[in-house]
Amino acid sequence: MKLGYYFGGRASRLVPYLLLLPGMLLYFFVSLGPSLATVFYSFTDASGLLGAPMHFVGLSNYQEFLFMGQNIRDNADVLVRTLEFSFLVTVIQTGLGLAAAMLLNQRLAATTVFRTVFFLPVILGVTIVGLTWTLFLYPVGGPAEKLLNLLGGRSEFLGGPPFQAFLWVTWVQIWANMGVTMIIFLGGLQTIPSELVEAARMDGAGGWQTFRSVTFPLLTPSLNTNLTLAIIGSLQAWQLLLVMKGVTNGTQVLGLIIYAIAFGRTSANPTSVAMRQGYGAAASVVLFVLVLIIGMGAQVLMRQRERRVLG
Amino acid sequence: MRIQKVFLAAALIAAAPLCLFSQGVTLELLIHQNAPLVDYITSFNEKFHAQYPNITVNVSVVKADELATSTQTRLTANDVDIIDMFGFAQGIQPFMKNADKPNWQTLIEAGLLMDLTGQPFLKNYDASAVRDAGSFNGKVYEVNTGRYAFTGVFYNKDLFKKYGVKVPTTWGQLVAACQTFKKNNIAPMTAGGKDGWPVLVAGYGILLSAYPDQAALVKGLWTGSITWNDARSLDMWKKMQVLARDMIEPGASGIAFDAAPGRFASGAAAMLPAGSWDAPAIAAANPKLNFGYFPMPGSDNPADNKYLAGKYDVGWIVAAGTDKKDAAMKWLAFFSQPENYQAYVNATGIMPTQPTAKLNTVLGREVAPYLANFRLGYELLWVNPKGFGQWAQPNASFFKPFNQWDDARKLADQAQADLDAGLKANR
Amino acid sequence: MKGLPAGFSRRASSSRVVMFIVLLALAAVYLGPLLSVVNVSLQTSQEFSLDPTALARQPQFANFVTAWNKANFPLYLRNSLLYTVVATAVYVLTAVFVAFPIARRYVRGSGFLFSLFVVALFLPYALIPQFQLMLRLRLYNTPVGYILLFLVDPIGIVILVNYIRSIPRELDEAAAMDGSGYTRFVLRVLFPLIKPALASVIVLHAIGIWNEYVTPLIYLPKKALMPITRGLMVFYGQYGNDWTTLAAAILMLTLPIVALFLALQRWIYAGVLQGSVRG
C-alpha cells in the first residue's frame, strides 16, 4: 500500500507540518506541558505566588499528604470518598440511563418530550442544577422535606451529617448527567437489528431473556463508551460538590481538595490559609495515579469482555 | 452653521490637552460580602469621587470564605490595588514547630504587600491596633479598622420580658431560659447553620468560658499541658453538644449566615449566638426590635462569664505592585478622616480602633462594659500542626444535627488523638 | 438497517401502561425540582419564609424585575456565548489540521503524536502549572487567556482521526490530480465529508465550555467577564437568603438556554451519538 503524499513537491511538502503546528503547539503549552510540569511542582514547596521563593523538597509533599499524622486517615477518607463517588455515579447513572433508553425505545407516547426533559439538565449546567436542587432540598419546609414528612421521616439534607450530604450531591450528579448516558444507549439500541429480537421471540424467550441474551450483549460498544465516560468523568468531577456544599470537611473528593490546597481554602475558617501549590501538585499526581490504575484497569476489563461477548 | 462647527472643533481641540491632564485613574478595590460594609463602601466611594473627580473606585465583592483565595490570586496577578483583609492572625509562635505560615506572611515575604509604615493617616488609629493587627517585623502593612466580638448572644428583650426570663449569667440559667422558651413554642436560638462557621462561632463563647486565657490555651495545647479530653475540655464539649442539639432550632442547617439575623429579628427565635457584626443587619431587618447582647455564659461560675472575645476584622492592605500608589494613599487617608471613620463605625457596628470614634448604637452600649477586658479569640491565635486530623478543632458544629458526632466523650478523645497525630509528626 | 426497537412487545399492553407510568414517574423526578423553582420565583419573601412549597398566591413578577436589575444576565449570557463559540470555532479549525495529517500519515511520527492524544485522558490535573502560565503571560483575568485554556481537547482529535481514517485515501489522490492543494482539499473537500464527526466534536467541546464553573472561578474574577455559571453563583453569594429573587434569576437564565437547546437539539443529539459510536 503506497503511503504517498499527493499534494505537491518539495516546498509544499512542508504545508501539512506548518498547519499542524498551531494545534500541536497549543496542545503542548496548554495541556501536555502543564500536566508534566505538575510532576515537577510536586517536588517543590511552591506557594503559587509570583515572586515568592521556591525550594526543592524532594518527596516531603507526598510524605505529608499520604503519611503524616492524621493525614493518613483524613486523606485516605478523601480517596475512599472519591472512589465511592465514582462507583455510585458510574453504576447508577449507567443503569438509570439504560432503563430510560429502553423505556423511550418502546415508543410509548410523547417520546420526544420525555427525551428533552431527561436531557435538559445536561444543557442547563452545574450552577443551575446545583442551585435548583439546593432549593428543592431546603430543610425548613422545602419540597423534599414535605415529601419525606409524608413518609414519616425528617432530614437536614445537605446540612446534616456529611455522608448524607455527600450522598445527596452524588444523586444530583447522577440526575444531571443521565441524559448523555441515555442518548448513547438509545443510539446503540437503534443499531440492533429487529430480526435478532424476533428470532429470540420465536424461540419462546420472554422479555427479560431477550434482553439478557440479545439486547445487552449487542449494546456492549455503547456500554463501554458510557462506562469509560462515567468512570473517568466522575473521578475528576467536583464542580457540583463545590456549588452545593463548598469546601467543607467530610464531603470532599480528591479533585476538590486539590483545588482547596492550591488556592488556600483548606479550613472552615480560611482567614489566613496560604496557597500551597507545590503540595497541591503532589495531590494531583496522586489523583493521576488513581485515574490511571482504575481507568486503564477498566479499559482492559471492557476490552476482554467485548472480545468474549461479540467475538 | 459653519461658524458653529468651527467653534465646536476649536473647543474640542482646546479640550484635548485638558483630557490628557486629568486622566482618570481607576482604583480596584476588593472587599468581602457583608451587607452594611458593602453599602457603606458604595456610598463612601461616591463621596470620595466627588472629592477627587479623577479617581474612580471599582469594587469587587466576594464571599468571606473566598476572600483569602481571591486576595492571593489577584495580588499575584497584580490586578487589584486595595484589599480588605482581616487583621493579621495565626502568626507563628516560638513553640510552634514546622507550622505553615499564614497567608499574609507569605504575601509579605513575596513582596506583594506595600509597606505603610510612616503614612500620616496611621496616626488616627490606636497604636496597639496598628501593632497587633497590621504589623510584621516592625513594619506596618495593614490599616485595621476595628474589632468585633464573637462570644456573645443577641437576645430579644421583649420576649425575655414576656416570659419573665432574666439575662443568664451562668450555664444553668441559660439552659433554664431555653427550656422556658421551648415550653412556650419559641425557638430558644437560631443560627446560620448552612454555612457551617456560624455554629462554630456560636460555640466560641463556651470555649471562652472554659478557657478565659485563650493565648494560654493555645500554648498549652501545643506543649501538651492542656488536652482536648481533660476534665475541663470534656465539660466544654458536653456543653457544645447541648448548644447544637438542644438550643439551636432544628432546621437551622438550612439557614444561610445572612438570613439568621432576619430570622432572629422576626421574633421566631429568642436568641442568636453570633458575632457582633450581625447587629446592623438585625436593626435593619426590624427597626422596632428591642435587642441586647450578653456574653455566652458557658460556665456555672459567673466569674468566668464576664469576658468578651473577638477578632480584628476589616483592615486595608495595598498591593505593592500597584501603579496608583498616590490614589490609593488618598483613599486610605480619606477613609481614615475622623468624620468618615465615624460614619463607617455607625454603618457597620464595628468596635472602633480610632480613639476618637464612638459606637453609638444599641450594640455599642451593650458591649461597652466588657471592652476593658476584651481579648483575642482562639481562632486568631491557633495554628494547626501539619498532619493534624480534621477533628482537632473546638467546633460545636461537629455535633449532630450538623455533623456526625453524638457522644461528647468520644469526640473529645478523637479531637485529642487528631491533635496528637500532628504534634507527634512534627516533634 | 434501522430495525424495530429491541424489546418491542406488541402483545402485553398492560405492561406498556406500566412502562408509561414508570416514564411519568421519572419525568416527575426531572421536572419536580424545576417546577419548584418556578413556584418560588412567584412567591413573596414572606410566603417563602412561612412555607416554601405553598403555591404562590399572587404571582410576584416583580421578582423578575428585581433579579434583572440586580444581576447582569445579558452580560453573562453574552460572555458564555462568546467563550463557547470562539473557543469551539478556533479549536475545531486547528484540530482538523492536526487530525488529518496524523490520520493520513502525512507527517513523520504520526503514530507517536496520536498516542500523545490518546494518553491525554489520563494525564495529571494540570490546574496548577496552567495557573502559573496564565499569570506569567499576563493573561489572567482576560477573555483571551480564558479562551486559550479551551483551545485544546485531545478527545476531539481522537474522534476526528478515527473518522478520517475511514475516508478513502484515493479521494486525496484524485483531488491532488485535479490540481487541488493541501489546504484547499482540507477546507473544501474534507470538512463537508467529516460532518458527523465534526458535529460530535463541536457538541462535546461546546457543552464542556458552557458548563465550566471552576475555571472562571479561578481565572475570571472580574464581574464583566464572568460567564453564566459563575455569574449566577456570585448572585447567589450576594443574595443567597433571598430565594424568591434567586429563583427568578435561575428561571431567567434557564429560558434562553432551553430555547437555544430546542433550536439545536437535533444537532446536539446527533453529535453525542456520533461521538459514542466512533469514540
Side-chain angles (χ1 to χ4, degrees), chain A residues 233-306:
Chain A
S234 61
L235 280 174
Q236 299 174 330
W238 49 278
Q239 299 193 105
L240 190 65
L241 261 175
L242 193 63
V243 169
M244 290 185 82
K245 266 309 276 184
V247 186
T248 48
N249 282 335
T251 54
Q252 295 151 326
V253 294
L254 201 42
L256 206 157
I257 252 216
I258 292 171
Y259 161 72
I261 293 172
F263 290 95
R265 290 185 64 175
T266 45
S267 160
N269 183 24
T271 43
S272 302
V273 181
M275 309 200 314
R276 294 186 65 194
Q277 301 210 332
Y279 187 51
S284 306
V285 174
V286 172
L287 176 60
F288 157 65
V289 170
L290 196 72
V291 170
L292 199 62
I293 295 177
I294 296 181
M296 302 237 105
Q299 287 284 321
V300 166
L301 286 175
M302 286 195 278
R303 293 266 172 267
Q304 279 183 345
R305 181 174 172 272
E306 191 167 353

Side-chain angles (χ1 to χ4, degrees), chain B residues 222-271:
Chain B
W222 264 87
T223 55
S225 58
I226 303 181
T227 63
W228 282 129
N229 56 356
D230 61 27
R232 202 159 224 219
S233 298
L234 181 57
D235 183 64
M236 171 201 85
W237 287 115
K238 286 191 177 143
K239 295 194 164 113
M240 284 188 174
Q241 182 173 25
V242 171
L243 173 74
R245 188 189 55 196
D246 305 327
M247 293 182 177
I248 298 182
E249 58 172 342
S253 66
I255 302 179
F257 76 95
D258 49 358
R263 185 147 173 85
F264 167 73
S266 73
M271 292 180 270

Side-chain angles (χ1 to χ4, degrees), chain B residues 29-47 57-64 67 84 86 145 148 257-258 277 280-281 313-314 316 331 335 343-350, chain C residues 70 223 234-235 237-239:
Chain B
L29 182 70
L30 174 64
I31 60 177
H32 74 279
Q33 175 61 32
N34 172 341
L37 173 68
V38 175
D39 290 338
Y40 175 75
I41 292 292
T42 313
S43 61
F44 170 79
N45 283 336
E46 280 166 25
K47 232 176 131 185
V57 186
N58 185 22
V59 183
S60 310
V61 182
V62 295
K63 278 177 87 165
L67 182 62
D84 124 42
F86 298 124
T145 66
Y148 286 115
F257 76 95
D258 49 358
W277 54 77
D313 202 76
V314 173
W316 303 112
W331 194 91
F335 182 89
Y344 166 73
V345 166
N346 293 340
T348 59
I350 204 168
Chain C
K70 282 192 182 164
K223 234 191 200 164
V234 166
F235 187 74
Q238 255 186 295
Y239 302 105

Side-chain angles (χ1 to χ4, degrees), chain A residues 38-55:
Chain A
T38 302
V39 182
F40 163 74
Y41 268 102
S42 72
F43 298 121
T44 70
D45 67 352
S47 63
L49 300 171
L50 280 183
M54 181 172 92
H55 315 102

Side-chain angles (χ1 to χ4, degrees), chain B residues 322-342:
Chain B
T322 180
D323 52 357
K324 304 161 206 149
K325 176 170 180 183
D326 191 56
M329 292 303 121
K330 286 202 177 93
W331 194 91
L332 286 176
F334 196 61
F335 182 89
S336 310
Q337 281 176 11
E339 328 86 63
N340 290 330
Y341 183 76
Q342 179 68 59

